[in-house]
Amino acid sequence: MPPDSPTRTPYVLEAVLERLTYVNEETGYTVARVAHKSSTDLLTVVGALLGAQPGESLRLSGWWSSHPQYGRQFEVLSYTTVLPATVQGLRRYLGSGLVKGIGPVFAERIVDHFGLDTLDIIETAPERLIEVAGLGPKRTKKITAAWAEQKAIKEVMVFLQGVGVSTSIAVRIYKKYGDASISVVKNSPYKLASDVWGIGFKTADTIAQAVGIPHDSPERVKAGLQYTLSQATDNGHCFLPAMELMAEAAKILDVPGPLIPPCLASLVEEEGVVQEGDAVYLVPFHRAEQSLASSLVSLLREKSDRMPHFGAVDWGKALSWLHQRTGSTLAPEQEQAVKLALTSKVAVMTGGPGCGKSFTVRSIVELAAAKQAKIQLVAPTGRAAKRLAELTGHPAATVHRLLKLQPGGDATYDRDNPLDADLLVVDEASMLDLILANKLVKAVAPGAHLLLVGDVDQLPSVGAGEVLRDLLAADVIPRVRLTQIFRQAAESGVVTNAHRVNQGKPVRLEGMRDFFLFPCDDTEAAAALTVDVACHRIPRKFGLDPRRDIQILTPMHRGPAGAGALNTLLQQELTPAREGLPERRMGGRVYRVGDKVAQIRNNYDKGAAGVFNGTVGVVTGLSPEEQTLTVRTDEDELIEYDFDELDELAHAYAITIHRSQGSEYPAVVIPLTTSAWMMLQRNLLYTAITRAKRLVVLVGSRRALAAAVRTVSAGRRHTALARRLGA
């Protein structure tokens, strides 16, 4: 019968998964090797094996085919896990890390003791596990609980597998809803998109259709409208104009246009969204924008002053004292910034690299400290906070740690419990998104001074809003722009070329000792060259450590020279697989001790005060037995992840330029290829260059470089903060 015949009956193959050779993270397509009783050699299987782990016994449904290059292989249509029926299979199954608390050593002891009755004992008489040497009551209890959870999750997985939901998502659904999981999935599938991280509208929609919710139901249309707004906030917008929202939702939902306006009106009535004039907001973003504008105006109008000394200070004497203290003289615009920060309740200072923002901040802090002011320094990332502390000699914290965010994201410090600080200095303010800026400004005490420092020409925040740009657009907010490039900085190729790019001029390469271009037109060759430059050439010439000191910054995640592909190549070079050392696969990623990783979502429940999107660290421990992976973050905190939480992490040998905001590295390597054409924009390249302290190496096409310098970012974000401030 022809291979594409719809009536062909699938063949069933029972086998043990030995190893995963390749997994495509985005599609779930997998190439694996399995052991089958009929063959002494391992067999190749290909297809969607989402969530399957080595050691599991699988019942695979599909058919045999012959690949012209790879030979005979089994194409998988679907699979289920089955319990092993041999002693050897039981050892592999229990020792693979599927049950928390049982690793290879205990698996062997348990199976040697109970033989083929092992799984029956675990399920029906777990108290007997203490018969096994080394298994005390505490570990036995943990194994029993883990087995019960695995069993419950398997039931949910079996149900969800029919609609293509991965194992990791099934685990999240179970952790959120427990025994009610199947009921929620059947009756309120769109609830998943708002309740469970990692489930978007599309996954919820697939499940909804599988459980029989009509394509044109109002519930589906309303969920689609909320999803469209959510996507817009992910792209930086605080709201969407109503017509744009409805047009975008109609495309996503594939329903007739007239169905949408009544559903939008119903959503507004139910307070699922807020409509203000033509602008439609998700509720949290509307509240945050109103609140931030109100807080800033209140601070500006406040009559009391927690630093009253500077209202009548003799600036000549103060600046002379400062000169003696620091040994340097402020330029006129720096003097203006110092006076503004110490006399205005709210002020903004912006400027590019080499223009003296850092020294100006240090001068402000020195003068405030001389008057015994309570000073609080803060930045959006751990790296930026550390740099701020080194620069000023005063402690600095991340915004999240300063506010002591609690599980769920509420801050310990807010309007009712403000920070006890006379001067709050916020560095890297271009990174502040609307939600975080609102939490921070709400916590500033009446009469305190707030100074926001940042480079407005860099990329806007990853989250919604462009707070720094909006503040500079509002005449009510006092501001200074530093423009003078100091002589020492002007001698740096990094600073010179950052400003040239920002002005739309070609980069200067001749005579530069800290700025280089390795030309390469082919994208895949550029990727290989990028790895060689970062792992070998820079370390040889400059003595820098490829993992600690060098950061690869890419315009995009996808593609042969994107962060995803580069991380695979860099991991092979810097943290290769080694016999006997544990590793853990999650989707298309493999985690090993020594890997450089980044958190890719805010998780308020981890660590002392949450772990946040962009936090970078190194994997220091991996326990197949306990099913945990340990990361030491840049803030020197040890964070533990269960294996089913590893989709919160991504490798960070290479990261997108957007993710690098607020961080500085001794050296950056930037692959620029024509495959990233849509992303090649001036502020993207400018941001990447300004992340480097000592060295920039560009790798790729001169044509791509010219396009990035020439192309001004299209379009502003939909925000209304400047208008609310009376711009």
Side-chain angles (χ1 to χ4, degrees):
M1 193 171 285
D4 57 353
S5 168
T7 57
R8 184 162 69 150
T9 305
Y11 180 81
V12 175
L13 176 73
E14 292 203 0
V16 176
L17 180 58
E18 290 290 328
R19 67 173 179 267
L20 297 162
T21 307
Y22 167 80
V23 180
N24 183 308
E25 199 178 324
E26 286 157 20
T27 64
Y29 179 80
T30 303
V31 179
R33 302 280 277 165
V34 300
H36 186 258
K37 61 187 176 187
S38 68
S39 173
T40 53
D41 296 327
L42 295 180
L43 308 174
T44 300
V45 300
V46 299
L49 283 170
L50 286 168
Q53 295 291 343
E56 284 192 291
S57 296
L58 305 177
R59 183 174 289 121
L60 307 161
S61 176
W63 38 69
W64 291 101
S65 66
S66 184
H67 190 280
Q69 186 177 348
Y70 301 111
R72 193 165 185 254
Q73 56 189 30
F74 190 79
E75 294 182 36
V76 179
L77 284 177
S78 63
Y79 81 92
T80 55
T81 55
V82 292
L83 296 176
T86 66
V87 166
Q88 187 183 358
L90 283 166
R91 281 198 195 105
R92 275 301 307 271
Y93 179 75
L94 285 179
S96 65
L98 286 163
V99 182
K100 206 168 190 174
I102 304 180
V105 173
F106 279 119
E108 193 157 340
R109 287 187 198 170
I110 292 168
V111 176
D112 284 351
H113 187 79
F114 294 115
L116 291 174
D117 294 330
T118 296
L119 298 183
D120 193 44
I121 294 291
I122 293 173
E123 178 136 348
T124 61
E127 67 280 356
R128 287 191 58 196
L129 287 171
I130 58 169
E131 296 172 19
V132 178
L135 281 185
K138 192 175 174 184
R139 190 181 288 272
T140 301
K141 192 175 178 184
K142 185 190 261 187
I143 291 169
T144 307
W147 179 261
E149 185 178 69
Q150 275 291 330
K151 196 178 169 199
I153 290 170
K154 290 278 185 206
E155 284 178 28
V156 177
M157 276 166 49
V158 166
F159 175 72
L160 292 175
Q161 220 158 25
V163 291
V165 176
S166 72
T167 307
S168 62
I169 296 296
V171 170
R172 287 191 184 282
I173 291 171
Y174 180 78
K175 282 193 167 181
K176 178 71 182 174
Y177 303 116
D179 293 341
S181 297
I182 291 174
S183 170
V184 171
V185 169
K186 279 182 176 173
N187 301 314
S188 310
Y190 292 109
K191 194 171 160 51
L192 301 175
S194 55
D195 285 0
V196 183
W197 182 76
I199 295 187
F201 172 78
K202 288 176 183 174
T203 303
D205 198 34
T206 304
I207 295 169
Q209 288 181 49
V211 299
I213 290 178
H215 188 72
D216 59 355
S217 77
E219 184 189 355
R220 179 174 183 267
V221 175
K222 286 191 278 192
L225 283 162
Q226 287 178 305
Y227 169 71
T228 306
L229 280 174
S230 176
Q231 287 289 96
T233 62
D234 287 348
N235 291 325
H237 301 292
C238 297
F239 66 84
L240 281 182
M243 293 306 290
E244 188 178 327
L245 167 63
M246 290 191 283
E248 286 297 312
K251 278 189 233 166
I252 290 165
L253 292 161
D254 189 26
V255 296
L259 277 178
I260 296 180
C263 290
L264 176 57
S266 174
L267 258 182
V268 171
E269 201 173 299
E270 294 162 9
E271 298 183 355
V273 299
V274 175
Q275 185 160 2
E276 188 180 292
D278 187 44
V280 185
Y281 291 79
L282 288 173
V283 175
F285 295 92
H286 183 257
R287 283 184 186 151
E289 198 174 73
Q290 280 190 320
S291 169
L292 177 56
S294 163
S295 298
L296 286 165
V297 169
S298 294
L299 288 174
L300 281 166
R301 291 177 179 166
E302 177 61 40
K303 294 284 192 291
S304 66
D305 192 341
R306 291 181 60 139
M307 292 201 299
H309 327 283
F310 294 102
V313 77
D314 182 331
W315 285 106
K317 278 186 182 175
L319 295 172
S320 172
W321 175 86
L322 187 66
H323 172 69
Q324 288 173 349
R325 178 105 172 146
T326 63
S328 299
T329 304
L330 293 169
E333 56 192 17
Q334 289 179 304
E335 282 189 16
Q336 186 192 348
V338 168
K339 292 174 184 175
L340 198 65
L342 296 172
T343 58
S344 294
K345 303 292 172 47
V346 180
V348 176
M349 177 170 68
T350 188
C355 292
K357 290 196 303 296
S358 296
F359 182 67
T360 308
V361 168
R362 184 183 156 198
S363 301
I364 291 163
V365 170
E366 289 276 5
L367 285 167
K371 294 294 185 185
Q372 280 79 50
K374 293 176 182 174
I375 300 161
Q376 184 63 63
L377 307 177
V378 68
T381 67
R383 279 175 183 255
K386 193 175 178 183
R387 194 173 68 241
L388 191 56
E390 288 165 358
L391 165 77
T392 60
H394 281 258
T398 62
V399 179
H400 301 97
R401 284 184 183 278
L402 175 71
L403 298 178
K404 294 187 178 175
L405 295 187
Q406 302 160 330
D410 289 333
T412 302
Y413 292 102
D414 56 17
R415 197 168 279 125
D416 298 325
N417 181 32
L419 295 161
D420 184 18
D422 304 324
L423 172 65
L424 178 65
V425 179
V426 187
D427 199 14
E428 294 287 355
S430 62
M431 286 186 69
L432 281 182
D433 61 47
L434 174 65
I435 300 290
L436 193 57
N438 176 47
K439 289 181 196 293
L440 180 60
V441 175
K442 265 200 306 193
V444 179
H449 291 231
L450 170 66
L451 172 65
L452 296 145
V453 182
D455 184 347
V456 75
D457 294 319
Q458 286 183 21
L459 289 168
S461 56
V462 174
E466 29 187 20
V467 172
L468 186 62
R469 189 179 293 276
D470 283 346
L471 294 184
L472 288 166
D475 291 339
V476 70
I477 305 290
R479 86 290 307 272
V480 174
R481 182 161 195 151
L482 305 183
T483 55
Q484 181 183 331
I485 302 171
F486 290 91
R487 186 176 57 80
Q488 191 178 349
E491 292 168 2
S492 153
V494 176
V495 172
T496 299
N497 281 319
H499 285 280
R500 288 183 70 82
V501 166
N502 202 30
Q503 293 156 10
K505 297 176 183 175
V507 298
R508 190 179 289 155
L509 297 165
E510 286 173 22
M512 295 295 178
R513 293 176 307 217
D514 60 356
F515 200 102
F516 303 92
L517 169 66
F518 284 79
C520 182
D521 287 332
D522 178 77
T523 301
E524 293 196 6
L529 181 55
T530 297
V531 173
D532 185 36
V533 165
C535 296
H536 305 293
R537 299 194 192 197
I538 292 177
R540 271 200 307 267
K541 184 171 174 63
F542 295 95
L544 297 174
D545 181 271
R547 215 174 330 197
R548 186 183 63 245
D549 302 326
I550 302 166
Q551 184 63 57
I552 293 175
L553 302 179
T554 72
M556 57 197 296
H557 182 78
R558 296 184 181 183
L566 283 170
N567 272 315
T568 302
L569 296 172
L570 288 156
Q571 187 190 40
Q572 287 166 4
E573 197 69 32
L574 297 172
T575 324
R578 289 193 172 89
E579 192 68 39
L581 288 182
E583 57 181 44
R584 177 67 180 185
R585 184 178 288 276
M586 165 59 76
R589 303 177 184 134
V590 179
Y591 294 94
R592 302 182 182 121
V593 172
D595 274 342
K596 186 176 181 179
V597 293
Q599 177 82 8
I600 57 173
R601 66 170 289 229
N602 289 343
N603 187 331
Y604 299 100
D605 300 321
K606 283 207 166 294
V611 185
F612 301 96
N613 190 352
T615 300
V616 174
V618 173
V619 177
T620 57
L622 198 158
S623 169
E625 189 171 290
E626 296 303 320
Q627 295 184 37
T628 57
L629 177 145
T630 307
V631 173
R632 184 176 290 280
T633 70
D634 270 354
E635 296 173 49
D636 208 29
E637 185 178 12
L638 284 173
I639 305 292
E640 199 170 84
Y641 293 82
D642 287 341
F643 281 170
D644 58 42
E645 297 175 315
L646 293 185
D647 53 358
E648 294 188 17
L649 292 175
H651 290 102
Y653 300 104
I655 60 175
T656 61
I657 296 165
H658 278 90
R659 286 202 168 276
S660 73
Q661 288 171 261
S663 295
E664 258 191 359
Y665 315 94
V668 301
V669 182
I670 309 166
L672 290 172
T673 66
T674 51
S675 67
W677 197 256
M678 295 300 289
M679 295 296 291
L680 296 175
Q681 295 170 357
R682 188 181 299 170
N683 62 350
L684 197 78
L685 180 56
Y686 173 73
T687 300
I689 293 170
T690 56
R691 299 305 87 212
K693 285 193 275 194
R694 289 169 50 189
L695 175 69
V696 170
V697 181
L698 307 176
V699 179
S701 137
R702 291 182 187 274
R703 185 166 160 246
L705 172 58
V709 173
R710 184 177 63 241
T711 309
V712 178
S713 172
R716 290 283 304 276
R717 295 177 168 189
H718 290 299
T719 74
L721 179 61
R723 178 184 62 74
R724 292 183 196 280
L725 288 167

